[in-house]
């Protein structure tokens, strides 16, 4: 009966002649792969090696998962079309209450660094930026990251506009060539991020020009482009 219980049920084996209880317990406790690789090693060391192996495997799987997630995010970022960018920009403008007008210039970027939109006016009229938000009828009405301590938006924007010439505007925009620039004003961390992807939309009397640029590391002043304003349309008085 004892032999049957020991062989069939694994109990009552202590008094069976020639049965090594310690060896049987060690054999049951050790995984098969450990018995094959480390057959003569103590049980405690086997479990230590097994734990380290599991920890290493978990780290590898975690790193692989993070890598795949990062690749997916980068692929999604690269795959964003111009139509999607413009829709996101327009949605943000509406959310922050930006104004449309005879001329408008909008900057959107994808880092937490504080960038400034600058519009240089023709001849001696000066420049509009965060340092000089109003000039010759134009106005900076959205400053994306003026207070870094309050936290940067995921997609900050800056917006400069001249009101529509509907009879209520006190000034019409000066005629001539305008120059648009982007400058890095402040950093959100100890260093500027690797690069910033910029979208700049210039609208003159309803006609839009779109610029896609990158502000590379170390660059603090980037010329976007220029445009001409020749005066009000004939039907506007």
């Amino acid at each position: 009966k004892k032999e049957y219980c020991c062989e069939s049920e694994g109990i009552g084996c202590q008094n069976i002649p020639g049965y090594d209880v310690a060896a049987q317990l060690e054999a049951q406790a050790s995984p098969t792969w450990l018995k094959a690789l480390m057959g003569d090693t103590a049980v405690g060391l086997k479990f230590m090696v097994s734990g380290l192996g599991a920890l290493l495997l978990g780290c590898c799987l975690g790193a692989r998962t993070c890598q795949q997630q990062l690749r997916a995010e980068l692929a999604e970022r690269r795959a964003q079309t111009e139509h999607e960018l413009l829709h996101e920009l327009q949605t943000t403008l509406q959310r922050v209450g930006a104004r449309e007008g005879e001329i408008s210039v909008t900057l959107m970027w994808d880092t937490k660094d504080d960038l400034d939109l600058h519009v240089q006016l023709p001849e001696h009229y000066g420049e509009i930026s965060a340092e000089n938000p109003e000039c010759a009828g134009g106005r900076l009405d959205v400053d994306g990251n003026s207070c870094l301590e309050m936290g940067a938006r995921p997609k900050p924007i800056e917006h400069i506009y001249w009101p529509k010439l509907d009879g209520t505007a006190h000034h019409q925009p000066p005629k001539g060539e305008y120059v648009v620039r982007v400058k890095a004003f402040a950093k959100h961390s100890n260093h500027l991020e690797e690069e910033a992807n910029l979208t700049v939309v210039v609208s003159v009397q309803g006609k839009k020009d779109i610029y896609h640029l990158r502000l590379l590391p170390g660059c603090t002043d980037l010329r976007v482009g220029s445009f001409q304003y020749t005066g009000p349309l004939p039907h506007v008085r």
Side-chain angles (χ1 to χ4, degrees):
K1 182 176 178 181
K2 290 182 179 180
E3 292 179 359
Y4 172 81
C5 290
C6 179
E7 293 176 358
S8 302
E9 305 296 334
I11 58 175
C13 302
Q14 291 82 354
N15 299 323
I16 301 298
Y19 186 84
D20 190 343
V21 177
Q24 184 65 18
L25 291 174
E26 180 179 346
Q28 292 175 357
S30 302
T32 304
W33 67 272
L34 274 181
K35 289 188 288 184
L37 294 176
M38 306 176 67
D40 298 330
T41 308
V43 175
L45 183 58
K46 289 181 180 179
F47 277 106
M48 184 180 295
V49 173
S50 177
L52 290 174
L55 179 62
L56 181 61
L57 179 61
C59 291
C60 292
L61 292 175
R64 179 62 177 172
T65 301
C66 291
Q67 183 184 30
Q68 290 178 343
Q69 183 177 0
L70 180 60
R71 286 180 176 177
E73 290 178 357
L74 291 175
E76 181 181 356
R77 181 172 166 182
R78 288 192 298 269
Q80 194 173 23
T81 65
E82 183 174 279
H83 176 75
E84 292 169 338
L85 281 170
L86 292 178
H87 176 73
E88 182 179 11
L89 185 146
Q90 189 62 36
T91 300
T92 305
L93 287 174
Q94 293 175 356
R95 186 176 70 244
V96 299
R99 303 279 298 274
E100 296 182 354
E102 181 77 355
I103 298 175
S104 64
V105 183
T106 308
L107 163 68
M108 181 175 72
W109 67 101
D110 63 352
T111 71
K112 295 180 180 179
D113 296 313
D114 187 3
L115 306 184
D116 275 349
L117 176 63
H118 291 247
V119 176
Q120 182 179 343
L121 280 61
E123 300 177 358
H124 61 280
Y125 285 98
E127 182 179 81
I128 298 178
S129 67
E131 297 177 351
N132 185 40
E134 293 189 36
C135 181
R139 180 185 177 192
L140 172 73
D141 66 338
V142 180
D143 184 2
N145 292 329
S146 58
C147 297
L148 290 178
E149 64 274 8
M150 297 179 63
R153 300 185 182 95
K155 284 284 187 74
I157 66 167
E158 294 212 344
H159 181 71
I160 294 173
Y161 81 103
W162 274 260
K164 294 181 179 180
L165 301 181
D166 56 2
T168 60
H170 298 291
H171 300 279
Q172 70 178 40
K175 298 179 182 179
E177 183 182 39
Y178 292 70
V179 178
V180 181
R181 309 187 73 89
V182 174
K183 297 183 181 181
F185 175 74
K187 298 176 285 187
H188 202 67
S189 58
N190 293 329
H191 60 278
L192 285 174
E193 299 187 19
E194 287 302 312
E195 63 182 31
N197 294 299
L198 316 179
T199 300
V200 179
V201 178
V202 176
S203 177
V204 180
Q205 297 171 331
K207 181 181 179 181
K208 294 183 178 181
D209 289 316
I210 304 167
Y211 302 85
H212 300 289
L213 308 100
R214 286 184 178 180
L215 189 66
L216 299 177
C219 179
T220 59
D221 188 348
L222 178 65
R223 187 182 191 275
V224 176
S226 62
F227 63 91
Q228 292 283 339
Y229 178 74
T230 57
L233 295 175
H235 66 277
V236 178
R237 296 182 179 179

